[in-house]
Amino acid sequence: MIIYNVTTKINWDNHEAWLQWMLDTHVPEILGTGCFEKHQVLRLLETDDTEGPTYAFQYYAVSKAQYNRYLELYGPALRKQTVDTWGTNFIAFRSLMEVVQ
């Protein structure tokens, strides 16, 4: 199993609207690609929340091929949609992990 992790810090002014948009719009669109089997949303604790909270969105793919399919066919457009919607109100970084056990 492959985990595509997107960690995002969102500013406090946009936090509630952004989180609702993520849960109602963005996550369903990502899952709708058929590249991921499930997901989870986590909020990081014991971090500096002065500028806003930090979340990790994790999407589970059965194989690296499914993840690559997402990157090739859907990733760029969905990333652009996020930037077009939220501009500079957030920062995000992505990581890829493999479930070992």
Side-chain angles (χ1 to χ4, degrees), residues 48-62:
D48 181 2
D49 283 352
T50 305
E51 295 180 17
T54 303
Y55 289 86
F57 287 77
Q58 297 182 338
Y59 305 94
Y60 292 74
V62 296

Side-chain angles (χ1 to χ4, degrees), residues 15-75:
H15 166 250
E16 289 181 27
W18 169 84
L19 183 58
Q20 199 63 52
W21 178 81
M22 287 293 293
L23 298 174
D24 293 346
T25 303
H26 196 63
V27 169
E29 288 177 341
I30 290 175
L31 296 176
T33 67
C35 298
F36 301 101
E37 299 293 310
K38 63 180 182 173
H39 79 289
Q40 67 179 356
V41 179
L42 306 104
R43 181 167 173 187
L44 277 66
L45 302 176
E46 298 184 358
T47 61
D48 181 2
D49 283 352
T50 305
E51 295 180 17
T54 303
Y55 289 86
F57 287 77
Q58 297 182 338
Y59 305 94
Y60 292 74
V62 296
S63 67
K64 181 87 169 14
Q66 283 296 89
Y67 167 74
N68 288 337
R69 182 174 169 265
Y70 170 78
L71 285 184
E72 291 172 20
L73 300 177
Y74 307 102

